[in-house]
Amino acid sequence: MKRLMLSALYLIPLLFTLLSCQKESIQADYQIIPLPQQIQLSADKTPFTLNSQTQILYPAEDKRLQDYAQLLAQYIKTKTHKEIAINTSTDTTNAIILQILPKGINPEGYQLDVNSRHVIINGNSEAGVFYGIQTLRKSLPIAQGGENIILPAVHISDFPYFPYRGAHLDVSRHFFNVNEVKTYIDMMALHNMNTMHWHLTDDQGWRIEIKKYPRLTQIGSKRKETLTGHLNDRPEKYDGKPYKGFYTQEQIKDIVNYAAKNHITIIPEIDLPGHMQAALASYPELGCTGGPYEVWTKWGISENVLCAGSSKTFQFLDDVFDEITQLFPSQYIHIGGDECPKTQWEHCPKCQAFIKKQDIKSDSKYTKEQYLQSFIMKHVTEYLKKKGRKTIGWDEILEGDADSQVTVMSWRGEAAGVNAAQQGHDVIMTPNTVMYFDFYQALDTEKEPLAIGGYIPVEKVYNYDPLPDQLTKTQKKHILGVQSNLWTEYIPDFSHVQYMVLPRWAALAEVQWSNPEQKDYNEFLNRLGGMLKQYQLEKYNYAKHVLNVDATYISNFKTGCTEVALSTLGNAPIHYTLDGSMPTSQSPVYQQAIQINKTSTLQAIAIRPEGNSEIYKQPLYFNKATNKPITLRYPADDKYNGQGCGTLVDGISGNATFGSGKWLGFSNGKDMIATIDLKEKTPITTISLHTCIATGDGVFDAREISVEVSTDGKNYRKIASETCPIPTEHQKVVKQHTLTFPSQPARYVRISAISEKQMPAWSGFPAIPAFIFVDELSVN
Ligand code: ACM
Ligand code: ZN
């Protein structure tokens, strides 16, 4: 009896040990980014279990698939901590099989089949296998090593929507080293991109070794200092620190190879005939004036361009492209063509003599200097054609007479791309309205690192349709694809590069790869969480705006309330307070628009197991004008219209960023003339408003502010006004204007802020009307 009891006692810990050895199982999820074309789950079939005995099989002697097998093993290790062997065995049990048996015409297409015995990644070509591997990698859960990974039985059939899926990187304004560029390539592969457009030369630095012209890197890759702050800030400030960097030809070859292993083609850009000041600093005889020139230390468009009338220029370009084509096997070479001022050509005897000699003439559409640019672009295109290459140019290449076979990169919006496709050119869409990832990701830029301007959030990228409606079906075939551009004037380090492209690349990846008929932003947001986890795992820095709480405010004139709608990524609960206390998981959960009818501070937080959002905080100040019916004599500018005229009386004051959406902006000489209906006769004694001033951007203060009152809405009496002095130097401030007067009854209050009609010469915008930005009218 005693012995029995003893053994039973022994059994209890044994049972515990057995139970704790029972491996935890976690499941793969095929709802990835970019979303595959077709995912057919077979819920009734037994899933595949990935464990430490699973092997990756590749065809014997296939070096490329062997590399991919290794890459996949590495991905699995990163994701699950499992060390998986690679092998050429024919025993396909418990295996991930890589193979090429074309089942479709798209070379980048693949099928991923999972059953209880094995996983098969079948590519239409090597590229297809590569993308099948990317899909499997992204589908895997993050694990610690001990778990079984369950892959539900599935048939995935996938291929990309566009053949050209690009990302551009400017390494001239700021330089990124070999490892950083390789990481950029890794990041691209994760997003199924296949083309890196490498902007290697510009006014601020020549970054590629050219053996025949060693001064390009000896001199052209170094600048003595760099502009700090924004290009429009006045006075200009410089950091006083020398800056340099370039890639040797060996490093270039290494990067090109690395990219090829990730199915990424690198298209080099030598930007010409403008954006050449670094080359001119190295070889002044290539410029119209002969110099001296310095590698540029600021941003913008330099007047110093290649002399198009000099045979030395043509020789230089031929020589440079000889070496470029040796280094880059890409079908396309990008030859720039953007932003080339013609002033020096107009005055250069060599350029003018060349124009005469070639019988180049102006016509009703273009100047002879624009045709001179076409001449030089066509020369380079012809030269590269002889080497079996094609050229890409920025959309200015259509000004004058472009070579009929040049591919056009549409950057100044979409119109140039539409025009080019209608003329029969191939087109890559990269409009600055959606695809410039150097633009801000948030409207409220106060907490953002300095950027060039603009506002391109993830949702805007996601909703982009690169096939404009104006094009016919045949013309649409000319749109080869889409690309994001990353100009790096304001992006000094690589972590910041990552911040600017992630997660906007996730949205871009779906524009480039997925079927537009499956597009649904909210559904995309549900899948984005998995991608963000992958970024964390890879230690990529990424912007977290989508995880934060976002708020929109509507002024309800009927109820007198400000209605606040809150949102965040996925279905994380948002908790909020209105009484100034910190929001916690104990605070009320946001369910529907919050109605605010008195001075309050809204604070909110999104709560997630993997970490909470930042605290969102917005004070609202109520006064006699808040949420009262308001009308405007002139509408605000389309781009700066906030939530309509209610933005002026919603209780929220705009901060120092005029583009935050909390200001109304008036352009083209329009004044802000607002009439507020206080709904009943009300004694008033003061009005105030703010103006946001940024003279470097052409945004000036009011010249005059006045108040009129009425009791019947017809007859108005002016009761106060002030004139504001025109500044004599640049300003960047928010200014409060308060007008006080003897108390009087008013039903209607008309507040006018008269804009600057002619900006002063020192502003850089002489004699044209300024913008005026106004917010939060208050009446007391
Ligand atoms: C460009 O953004 N200058 C092409
Ligand atoms: Zn010249």
Side-chain angles (χ1 to χ4, degrees):
M1 182 67 194
K2 215 173 177 182
R3 278 181 59 168
L4 244 177
M5 268 182 63
L6 248 182
S7 43
L9 276 174
Y10 278 126
L11 270 176
I12 291 167
L14 187 64
L15 200 67
F16 265 102
T17 315
L18 275 174
L19 277 174
S20 58
C21 272
Q22 188 75 41
K23 279 194 185 161
E24 198 194 330
S25 292
I26 38 178
Q27 193 156 316
D29 180 358
Y30 306 117
Q31 292 295 313
I32 56 154
I33 290 173
L35 186 66
Q37 303 284 341
Q38 198 187 63
I39 304 173
Q40 281 172 289
L41 281 166
S42 310
D44 53 333
K45 299 217 175 105
T46 315
F48 179 81
T49 302
L50 191 153
N51 53 34
S52 309
Q53 282 73 51
T54 305
Q55 296 194 60
I56 302 170
L57 306 184
Y58 60 92
E61 324 242 311
D62 189 328
K63 176 73 183 71
R64 199 63 189 253
L65 291 200
Q66 183 181 1
D67 285 349
Y68 286 169
Q70 250 148 15
L71 189 65
L72 176 57
Q74 185 54 49
Y75 288 151
I76 291 174
K77 187 171 170 207
T78 303
K79 205 104 193 233
T80 68
H81 284 93
K82 286 191 195 302
E83 304 256 8
I84 304 280
I86 71 166
N87 204 332
T88 55
S89 152
T90 46
D91 176 5
T92 60
T93 313
N94 194 9
I96 302 172
I97 303 157
L98 307 185
Q99 64 181 38
I100 301 174
L101 287 174
K103 287 196 180 145
I105 49 166
N106 192 318
E108 296 181 306
Y110 68 91
Q111 301 81 42
L112 174 68
D113 283 283
V114 176
N115 60 39
S116 59
R117 265 175 68 83
H118 48 232
V119 175
I120 301 178
I121 295 175
N122 181 53
N124 293 346
S125 74
E126 288 164 349
V129 176
F130 183 79
Y131 292 119
I133 286 174
Q134 293 301 328
T135 292
L136 177 60
R137 159 206 196 181
K138 283 180 266 192
S139 302
L140 293 175
I142 293 170
Q144 299 315 311
E147 311 90 327
N148 280 326
I149 312 287
I150 307 297
L151 280 78
V154 77
H155 170 72
I156 293 176
S157 174
D158 198 14
F159 55 88
Y161 196 75
F162 286 107
Y164 183 106
R165 303 182 302 281
H168 152 286
L169 180 65
D170 166 14
V171 293
S172 172
R173 278 54 179 266
H174 283 101
F175 177 74
F176 304 99
N177 66 33
V178 172
N179 282 336
E180 290 167 338
V181 176
K182 285 183 176 174
T183 303
Y184 198 71
I185 289 166
D186 293 341
M187 289 157 55
M188 289 178 63
L190 179 67
H191 294 84
N192 293 19
M193 294 174 177
N194 64 3
T195 312
M196 184 174 108
H197 168 177
W198 206 1
H199 187 79
L200 286 161
T201 66
D202 215 301
D203 300 313
Q204 296 81 0
W206 184 284
R207 306 273 175 232
I208 177 168
E209 179 188 24
I210 300 293
K211 303 261 193 212
K212 197 160 180 189
Y213 295 85
R215 288 152 64 102
L216 285 173
T217 41
Q218 286 162 2
I219 292 171
S221 72
K222 302 170 185 169
R223 61 177 179 252
K224 72 171 191 281
E225 60 184 355
T226 304
L227 185 76
T228 60
H230 194 276
L231 170 64
N232 295 342
D233 289 351
R234 295 293 178 275
E236 286 178 349
K237 288 199 198 96
Y238 291 85
D239 66 1
K241 290 186 210 146
Y243 190 89
K244 65 176 184 184
F246 73 92
Y247 310 99
T248 64
Q249 294 203 347
E250 284 314 303
Q251 289 174 324
I252 295 275
K253 285 181 209 159
D254 178 33
I255 291 172
V256 168
N257 253 327
Y258 188 83
K261 287 197 173 142
N262 285 278
H263 262 288
I264 288 169
T265 301
I266 299 187
I267 296 181
E269 179 187 357
I270 303 296
D271 199 350
L272 70 108
H275 289 287
M276 267 285 173
Q277 192 167 311
L280 301 189
S282 317
Y283 295 94
E285 63 272 26
L286 298 173
C288 289
T289 66
Y293 307 98
E294 61 165 14
V295 179
W296 221 20
T297 55
K298 65 177 186 182
W299 321 127
I301 301 174
S302 169
E303 296 284 327
N304 295 315
V305 303
L306 285 176
C307 178
S310 161
S311 58
K312 283 190 187 132
T313 296
F314 289 87
Q315 188 62 51
F316 168 76
L317 292 173
D318 293 354
D319 292 340
V320 166
F321 284 109
D322 282 346
E323 294 192 32
I324 290 290
T325 47
Q326 287 287 319
L327 294 168
F328 294 93
S330 56
Q331 182 191 17
Y332 290 102
I333 306 288
H334 201 304
I335 59 174
D338 60 323
E339 300 177 322
C340 178
K342 308 292 188 289
T343 33
Q344 295 193 346
W345 291 359
E346 285 160 12
H347 298 105
C348 169
K350 281 174 286 178
C351 285
Q352 290 303 320
F354 190 74
I355 283 173
K356 266 219 177 86
K357 187 167 153 222
Q358 296 296 333
D359 200 25
I360 295 172
K361 296 209 166 64
S362 301
D363 60 22
S364 60
K365 279 176 99 175
Y366 300 108
T367 64
K368 55 192 192 313
E369 287 76 21
Q370 283 176 310
Y371 284 111
L372 178 60
Q373 177 161 341
S374 299
F375 186 95
I376 196 166
M377 300 314 275
K378 285 201 290 190
H379 169 88
V380 176
T381 295
E382 281 301 322
Y383 192 74
L384 287 167
K385 251 188 227 171
K386 282 188 215 133
K387 293 170 179 286
R389 308 300 180 95
K390 294 184 182 172
T391 47
I392 303 178
W394 296 111
D395 59 46
E396 286 94 333
I397 205 156
L398 293 175
E399 294 167 1
D401 50 347
D403 182 281
S404 62
Q405 281 163 38
V406 78
T407 296
V408 175
M409 206 166 246
S410 184
W411 73 276
R412 294 175 299 178
E414 266 191 348
V418 169
N419 182 10
Q422 285 167 341
Q423 290 181 35
H425 291 276
D426 283 345
V427 172
I428 295 154
M429 283 296 191
T430 176
N432 53 6
T433 45
V434 235
M435 286 297 144
Y436 270 45
F437 289 7
D438 57 334
F439 282 28
Y440 282 110
Q441 312 182 57
L443 273 177
D444 188 352
T445 57
E446 268 186 355
K447 282 191 257 161
E448 291 296 304
L450 180 68
I452 191 162
Y455 173 52
I456 301 182
V458 172
E459 184 169 9
K460 187 164 185 186
V461 176
Y462 187 82
N463 289 328
Y464 179 54
D465 175 2
L467 300 176
D469 291 340
Q470 303 99 298
L471 296 180
T472 63
K473 213 170 159 189
T474 317
Q475 289 163 346
K476 282 180 181 171
K477 292 213 173 81
H478 283 298
I479 311 284
L480 303 182
V482 196
Q483 167 177 299
S484 64
N485 286 348
L486 197 71
W487 303 103
T488 57
E489 288 93 334
Y490 301 98
I491 308 180
D493 59 64
F494 191 67
S495 156
H496 192 170
V497 165
Q498 295 183 324
Y499 177 84
M500 296 310 274
V501 301
L502 304 180
R504 287 189 283 198
W505 271 4
L508 172 58
E510 300 232 327
V511 177
Q512 294 176 325
W513 182 284
S514 304
N515 183 347
E517 281 169 20
Q518 294 185 355
K519 253 169 129 179
D520 177 336
Y521 183 63
N522 286 322
E523 191 271 328
F524 163 78
L525 288 180
N526 289 335
R527 286 180 284 117
L528 184 58
M531 194 61 143
L532 299 185
K533 281 186 197 146
Q534 183 89 35
Y535 296 161
Q536 271 169 31
L537 189 69
E538 306 287 350
K539 301 194 168 49
Y540 298 157
N541 185 27
Y542 62 96
K544 307 206 169 51
H545 305 93
V546 287
L547 295 171
N548 283 337
V549 176
D550 198 19
T552 49
Y553 298 87
I554 305 282
S555 181
N556 188 326
F557 304 148
K558 277 207 183 105
T559 62
C561 291
T562 303
E563 295 178 356
V564 194
L566 301 179
S567 59
T568 191
L569 179 74
N571 42 21
I574 301 173
H575 297 261
Y576 71 97
T577 63
L578 291 169
D579 61 2
S581 63
M582 287 291 266
T584 66
S585 57
Q586 306 307 309
S587 312
V589 178
Y590 172 81
Q591 267 152 347
Q592 59 191 32
I594 307 165
Q595 310 290 329
I596 298 180
N597 63 3
K598 59 173 198 273
T599 295
S600 320
T601 298
L602 168 66
Q603 296 190 81
I605 187 169
I607 296 195
R608 297 184 174 83
E610 63 272 25
N612 298 342
S613 71
E614 289 171 18
I615 303 240
Y616 175 87
K617 184 171 181 182
Q618 176 64 61
L620 291 92
Y621 299 102
F622 273 57
N623 61 75
K624 289 176 177 170
T626 309
N627 299 321
K628 293 287 165 28
I630 179 172
T631 52
L632 286 168
R633 180 171 302 170
Y634 308 112
D637 193 83
D638 278 352
K639 263 178 82 184
Y640 299 107
N641 195 24
Q643 298 289 329
C645 52
T647 298
L648 292 173
V649 290
D650 59 3
I652 295 161
S653 297
N655 61 13
T657 310
F658 62 76
S660 68
K662 305 230 162 64
W663 294 88
L664 291 197
F666 299 81
S667 59
N668 293 321
K670 292 206 184 73
D671 304 314
M672 193 290 314
I673 301 178
T675 305
I676 303 164
D677 175 0
L678 298 178
K679 286 190 164 171
E680 59 191 8
K681 217 193 265 181
T682 310
I684 65 167
T685 177
T686 169
I687 68 107
S688 72
L689 61 86
H690 295 98
T691 50
C692 191
I693 305 169
T695 53
D697 294 311
V699 180
F700 275 65
D701 195 6
R703 279 290 67 74
E704 188 190 335
I705 292 172
S706 62
V707 196
E708 296 159 90
V709 292
S710 167
T711 48
D712 58 7
K714 291 190 190 102
N715 302 300
Y716 281 84
R717 238 173 356 104
K718 193 184 223 183
I719 53 166
S721 67
E722 73 170 31
T723 53
C724 320
I726 183 154
T728 52
E729 56 183 23
H730 279 289
Q731 290 184 339
K732 201 169 181 182
V733 287
V734 172
K735 209 156 150 189
Q736 175 160 348
H737 298 272
T738 304
L739 274 61
T740 318
F741 36 84
S743 175
Q744 51 205 292
R747 161 85 193 253
Y748 301 94
V749 182
R750 181 182 294 153
I751 301 173
S752 302
I754 305 303
S755 66
E756 175 57 58
K757 301 297 185 283
Q758 291 203 330
M759 284 186 271
W762 58 257
S763 68
F765 307 100
I768 54 170
F771 263 94
I772 182 170
F773 278 82
V774 178
D775 187 40
E776 221 42 26
L777 306 179
S778 78
V779 175
N780 278 307

